[in-house]
Amino acid sequence: MKIIKKDSFIVILIGFLVIFFLQTPILQALEFDLTAAQNTVGKRFASKFCEAKEKGFSTESSSEFALNNTYLKFVAFPDDERFIEELWEFTIGIIRKDCGQYMTDDEKTILRDFFKEEGEIASNRDLYLPH
């Protein structure tokens, strides 16, 4: 009986160690994938937004143009406000650098609201898709 308990303990201990060592790479891979998604979506959105602003479109029209020409319309984000906020900071940084001269502070606020709304939709994609 004592041998069975010892063997069971060793098997459980090895199981926990395997789970512990696998957990860290999985979390790092998840974080890497989120960063890649932020870069892809943020860069593309900023590029298309600036393209429209340079052509003289309003902020609202530029936002819609960028939405329709990027992956933001099709991706699903994690339900995490921090993720959307980091994506916004990354995206607005590119917009400020590339075409900030075309935007007023009010337009930046309008764009931020638009971006947050679309981010919330992307975080709850299943609520907005037909079943």
Side-chain angles (χ1 to χ4, degrees):
M1 186 71 164
K2 200 174 190 183
I3 295 173
I4 294 173
K5 287 182 182 180
K6 184 179 177 183
D7 289 343
S8 297
F9 177 74
I10 290 173
V11 168
I12 291 171
L13 183 63
I14 290 173
F16 280 124
L17 289 173
V18 167
I19 291 170
F20 174 76
F21 286 115
L22 290 177
Q23 180 182 7
T24 303
I26 290 170
L27 291 175
Q28 289 173 347
L30 179 61
E31 186 175 316
F32 177 74
D33 288 344
L34 295 180
T35 302
Q38 286 176 328
N39 285 336
T40 302
V41 171
K43 284 180 182 177
R44 179 85 174 161
F45 185 91
S47 170
K48 291 300 177 180
F49 179 84
C50 288
E51 181 182 324
K53 281 302 277 182
E54 289 169 355
K55 291 180 181 178
F57 287 95
S58 70
T59 298
E60 292 86 358
S61 296
S62 298
S63 300
E64 287 296 330
F65 177 78
L67 177 66
N68 290 328
N69 288 284
T70 64
Y71 310 111
L72 183 59
K73 195 171 186 175
F74 303 105
V75 296
F77 290 158
D79 189 13
D80 180 2
E81 286 185 30
R82 193 182 98 225
F83 177 85
I84 295 170
E85 185 62 30
E86 289 174 0
L87 178 59
W88 163 252
E89 291 299 327
F90 177 80
T91 305
I92 194 64
I94 295 171
I95 290 171
R96 282 184 188 125
K97 187 180 106 196
D98 292 349
C99 63
Q101 71 273 19
Y102 296 110
M103 294 184 65
T104 66
D105 288 337
D106 289 338
E107 289 177 318
K108 288 177 186 172
T109 302
I110 292 168
L111 178 60
R112 180 184 181 94
D113 292 343
F114 174 85
F115 199 87
K116 284 188 117 179
E117 182 180 318
E118 291 302 322
E120 287 176 24
I121 291 170
S123 295
N124 298 297
R125 189 66 69 200
D126 57 330
L127 297 176
Y128 295 95
L129 293 175
H131 295 285

